[in-house]
Amino acid sequence: MDNVKDTIRDYILREYLPGESPANLTDETPLRTSGILDSMATLNLVTFLEESFGITIDAHETGIDQFDRIADIAALVAQKKGA
Amino acid sequence: MTTVTTTLPVATTAATLGTPPTATRVDPRLAMARPDPLRFAGLLAQLGVLLAAFFFFDIEEAAFGPLALLMAGGFAVHYWLPFAWKEPFYIAFSLAGAFVMLQPMTAALLIAAGLLLYGIVASPFPFRVRLAIVAAVSAGLVYARVTLGFGVPHDFWPVFGAIFMFRFLIYLYDAAHAKAAPSLRDFLTYFFIVPNYYFILFPVIDFQTHRQTYFRRNIHDIAQQGIVWIARGTVQLLLYRLVYHWKGPSNAPEAVTTFGALATTMVLTYMLYLRVSGQFHMIIGFLHLFGYDLPETHRKYLLSRSLTDFWRRINIYWKDFMVKMVYFPVYFRLRKSGDVRAQVVATIAVFVVTWFTHTYQWFWLRGEFLMTWPDTLFWGILGALVTVNLLLERRRPARAAAKPPAWKAWLAPLKVAGTFCLIVTLWSLWNSPSVGEWVDLMTWWKVG
């Protein structure tokens, strides 16, 4: 689970927050409701997760409940990998 | 690739953020709601200044005064309640608020209609059956709206439409995919929002965002943000009055006989939108007072650098609504057939649906359908230009550059000015009664 979180964190820092300290992007930092990820960035993250973890994500799984924080996204990935 | 912020929001560490409660840990939102008499006094003093401004400048129509007093009074009580009592109080306050702001019959019907809709969605039938029942009830409501029948008071319909016409679609979408049916408490807090009894044009708040952002930060930070937005809304509403006064109510082409008059009319027509953005800032600001840490509704839309940027900055809640309900479902369905194709079709679908839903909105609020060529052309042209812009954006490097080259800084004002001119032109078309009148307006040299 921690590996998944780190992978997601590294991707977001690299693609959308260059120069930002990793310590500032916690598992609980809001990503979509704070504007860090917009719709296009969300789609790119979905593609990244699908390619990195061999899972398929549906449109309704990109809502705020499951896709606003690294902790929630990692839980979704873990659930998909376990399914 | 789109521009993203490089500054993380304040107070978003794990220690300060709330997560839904579990049986094994204390709800972190309890700490977010801890009162502080000094900070409360500061918040209340600021609200007092804003209230004085509302009454001194008659900032809105007469019913806004009681609404503003109600919200400030509600905040003063809600703030001091134990966390567990806050939401029950908010629900009671919202339902009672309906009877303060509306005629008793209208308020009672509104609550009854809401409970009926909740009962259908929460019923144990398969989702398709629930959807069919909702469709049948909606057909009855449409019939009643058209005929103004069944003895329903006329003032019921705009408020009913303002509350349910869009948010109920989001609610249904989320209910369709939820593991468990949303509770009655979630339903009541989401739909029965006191400012909605007054503001008929209302931000399309997302159900999940509404729930997830509740006390996610310290209440003093949330409320302070809300007060800033209420103040911003107040300034925009004051500016709107100046614009309205300066422009006058008409866009009559015969009054525009010089290029200067044309430019002024077009810019002022666009500036009338300050009323909508001002109201939206105020509405979300009021909700912040009760712990709903909702995002901004408009972000410096006059400084948009492209049409896509404009679409992302103006009425952000609408954009998010379209992304959730149209763009993502269409994109995810088509993406296996090619990313570009999926994005283009999804973007076009968003603008077609936006065009249609403006007519749908007009129907619930005004009781008639809005089908005009200026409206159709406006959304058609805007959709086409945003699609082209999206394709151009895709050709740029994906990664956000840490430091853009210096010459790009010189381009920014030109981009803002160009986008502003384009939007002002499109806006003048949208606000013209007919394409012919818009052409008359634009060919100002032929008059006089």
Side-chain angles (χ1 to χ4, degrees), chain A residues 15-18 20 24 26 28-30 33-34 36 38 40 43-44 50 57 59-60 62-65 69, chain B residues 1-2 4-6 8-9 12 17-19 173 177 208-209 211-212 216 327-328 331-332 335 343 399-400:
Chain A
E15 296 294 328
Y16 302 109
L17 297 168
E20 186 67 58
N24 286 340
T26 72
E28 308 290 328
T29 303
T33 52
S34 67
I36 293 172
D38 65 9
M40 300 307 294
L43 289 184
N44 291 337
E50 289 181 336
I57 295 172
H60 67 85
T62 59
I64 301 304
D65 278 354
R69 299 177 292 197
Chain B
M1 189 46 54
T2 55
V4 292
T5 176
T6 52
L8 295 182
T12 53
L17 272 166
T19 49
Y173 181 87
H177 301 293
Q208 291 184 6
T209 306
R211 215 173 40 190
Q212 288 284 347
R216 73 171 173 181
Y327 189 89
F328 279 0
Y331 174 84
F332 276 75
R335 63 182 170 154
Q343 285 197 20
R399 199 166 299 182

Side-chain angles (χ1 to χ4, degrees), chain B residues 103-314:
Chain B
Q103 295 294 324
M105 174 63 96
T106 301
L109 277 174
L110 210 55
I111 293 166
L115 292 176
L116 171 68
L117 291 172
Y118 173 75
I120 296 168
V121 178
S123 66
F125 300 119
F127 191 74
R128 282 172 190 274
V129 175
R130 286 180 274 163
L131 212 55
I133 300 172
V134 167
V137 169
S138 302
L141 289 166
V142 168
Y143 176 78
R145 178 69 178 115
V146 170
T147 57
L148 295 176
F150 302 132
V152 177
H154 291 191
D155 62 353
F156 166 82
W157 293 111
V159 187
F160 173 81
I163 292 175
F164 292 104
M165 66 183 166
F166 296 131
R167 296 213 295 280
F168 194 67
L169 299 178
I170 297 176
Y171 183 78
L172 272 180
Y173 181 87
D174 284 342
H177 301 293
K179 291 187 181 99
S183 66
L184 180 61
R185 178 189 281 210
D186 289 339
F187 180 90
L188 293 173
T189 55
Y190 180 56
F191 287 102
F192 292 94
I193 298 173
V194 176
N196 212 169
Y197 306 140
Y198 171 80
F199 292 109
I200 298 301
L201 284 179
F202 205 79
V204 187
I205 299 168
D206 179 62
F207 180 63
Q208 291 184 6
T209 306
H210 185 259
R211 215 173 40 190
Q212 288 284 347
T213 57
Y214 185 58
F215 279 89
R216 73 171 173 181
R217 285 192 293 159
N218 186 290
I219 183 60
H220 304 102
D221 297 327
I222 300 175
Q224 186 58 60
Q225 179 71 75
I227 287 171
V228 168
W229 286 346
I230 294 170
R232 190 192 291 177
T234 306
V235 171
Q236 294 193 0
L237 289 174
L238 286 171
L239 287 172
Y240 162 79
R241 282 173 60 180
L242 286 175
V243 169
Y244 186 84
H245 209 70
W246 188 8
K247 180 186 168 297
S250 154
N251 259 355
E254 58 271 19
V256 176
T257 55
T258 64
F259 179 74
L262 173 69
T264 307
T265 300
M266 287 166 67
V267 169
L268 292 180
T269 300
Y270 179 39
M271 290 296 98
L272 289 177
Y273 184 77
L274 283 169
R275 182 165 197 203
V276 177
S277 57
Q279 289 183 342
F280 278 25
H281 285 309
M282 200 165 270
I283 292 163
I284 298 302
F286 279 139
L287 288 180
H288 270 236
L289 299 178
F290 294 87
Y292 294 98
D293 192 13
L294 293 163
E296 202 172 20
T297 63
H298 291 72
R299 191 178 304 123
K300 298 178 182 169
Y301 57 93
L302 296 177
L303 300 177
S304 305
R305 294 181 180 198
S306 69
L307 283 177
T308 312
D309 190 32
F310 171 73
W311 173 249
R312 288 176 187 140
R313 285 168 180 263
I314 195 166

Side-chain angles (χ1 to χ4, degrees), chain A residues 64-79:
Chain A
I64 301 304
D65 278 354
Q66 289 172 287
F67 230 79
D68 194 36
R69 299 177 292 197
I70 289 176
D72 297 333
I73 300 169
L76 175 68
V77 171
Q79 178 207 323

